[in-house]
Amino acid sequence: MKHVLAAVPIYNERMYVEPVLSEIRRFAEEVLVVDDGSTDGSGEILAARSDVHLIRHRENRGYGAALRSAFHFAMAHHYEVLVTIDCDGQHEPKFIDDFVKAAATADIVSGSRYLKAFPSDSPPPEDRRRINQLITGRLNALLGLSLTDAFCGFKAYRVEVLRKFSITEEGYAMPLELWVQAARMGLKIVELPIPRVYLDESRSFGGALDDARTRLAHYSQVLRRSLERYWPERLTAWEEISFD
């Protein structure tokens, strides 16, 4: 059995893909890139590399779909730990080993940009900080979790537990479906602090989701839908808890 796979979902990351992958390769022997239908030349850069595994989606399907492909690859190739790390320069690969070590005693290790202050921290875009805070609070109240950062893409998973998930959300709301299922199964979840780095505050969530109110409403809908599907008993809590 292979031990660790680092998986990197990308979509139009031409500016970052080469330096980020080179840095990740310093800390991970096995790297998978899931190219989610890039059209900016990222694919040509990836084709020139022989030191990474590559999955290509013909069309852009979404962040959740890219992670689902990474999950399936890790399970099919019998890795023990899957580390997911974004390709936009926000995550520092030097922390990969910390995530792998923490996964020895946890099912999911999730990065948090708010658990600890680092001298190098960037101020988060206000709408992203507010939405993250609101949704994280809802998750904690509904699921009995104690998260501080619901949306950080830097994570480590014990691959064995990935077999228990049914991921259907293909966009940026995918973590909400994952958290509902993880809490329902009683998985052990720990957070690790990571620096807060924002290199491009104008990055798009895609279409209508670039509007903060629309994005918050969408996340709320996905959370409620996930409760209905995977943990309907918690819908009573949804009605009782005020989210104002």
Side-chain angles (χ1 to χ4, degrees):
M1 178 179 288
K2 301 174 184 177
H3 185 38
V4 179
L5 174 69
V8 189
I10 77 160
Y11 174 62
N12 289 348
E13 299 285 5
R14 182 180 178 87
M15 182 185 303
Y16 298 108
V17 63
E18 188 67 42
V20 168
L21 286 181
S22 294
E23 185 68 7
I24 290 172
R25 283 288 290 115
R26 292 180 57 209
F27 301 96
E29 288 188 20
E30 300 269 345
V31 178
L32 166 70
V33 179
V34 182
D35 180 5
D36 190 32
S38 293
T39 58
D40 69 340
S42 296
E44 286 75 6
I45 294 174
L46 292 170
R49 299 192 68 118
S50 60
D51 59 345
V52 299
H53 305 286
L54 179 61
I55 293 175
R56 279 202 173 101
H57 294 170
R58 287 192 174 187
E59 299 178 347
N60 179 240
R61 291 162 50 189
Y63 180 75
L67 288 180
R68 187 173 60 201
S69 291
F71 290 178
H72 289 166
F73 185 95
M75 291 186 288
H77 292 83
H78 307 290
Y79 290 93
E80 294 179 280
V81 177
L82 173 68
V83 176
T84 60
I85 182 168
D86 291 348
C87 192
D88 55 8
Q90 291 192 26
H91 301 154
E92 298 184 34
K94 67 182 181 181
F95 291 102
I96 287 175
D97 192 52
D98 293 338
F99 279 74
V100 172
K101 289 177 179 176
T105 55
D107 297 309
I108 300 176
V109 183
S110 189
S112 172
R113 297 158 290 185
Y114 301 98
L115 191 60
K116 171 186 172 182
F118 290 82
S120 61
D121 280 350
S122 304
E126 179 55 30
D127 66 321
R128 297 191 193 185
R129 183 205 62 79
R130 183 178 64 85
I131 290 173
N132 192 336
Q133 185 178 53
L134 286 169
I135 293 297
T136 300
R138 294 181 187 187
L139 285 168
N140 291 339
L142 290 166
L143 306 178
L145 299 175
S146 55
L147 300 172
T148 61
D149 189 350
F151 288 102
C152 184
F154 203 165
K155 286 183 170 62
Y157 305 86
R158 282 200 311 111
V159 173
E160 187 58 34
V161 306
L162 292 178
R163 303 181 188 280
K164 303 177 181 181
F165 284 93
S166 175
I167 301 300
T168 61
E169 293 293 334
E170 298 201 328
Y172 284 109
M174 170 269 193
L176 305 179
E177 184 181 41
L178 184 138
W179 289 131
V180 170
Q181 294 183 50
R184 181 68 181 88
M185 290 185 283
L187 299 185
K188 182 176 180 180
I189 300 163
V190 300
E191 285 189 312
L192 285 186
I194 62 169
R196 189 169 57 243
V197 180
Y198 285 96
L199 300 178
D200 184 0
E201 297 184 10
S202 65
R203 294 176 67 85
S204 174
F205 289 89
L209 293 185
D210 284 335
D211 177 76
R213 286 181 295 181
T214 301
R215 192 162 71 250
L216 178 59
H218 173 65
Y219 289 161
S220 297
Q221 291 168 2
V222 170
L223 178 52
R224 183 182 176 93
R225 182 165 65 238
S226 298
L227 288 172
E228 290 173 344
R229 183 175 299 168
Y230 305 110
W231 204 354
E233 297 87 348
R234 300 304 296 164
L235 286 173
T236 300
W238 178 279
E239 303 298 338
E240 292 176 350
I241 295 173
S242 172
F243 296 131
D244 294 334

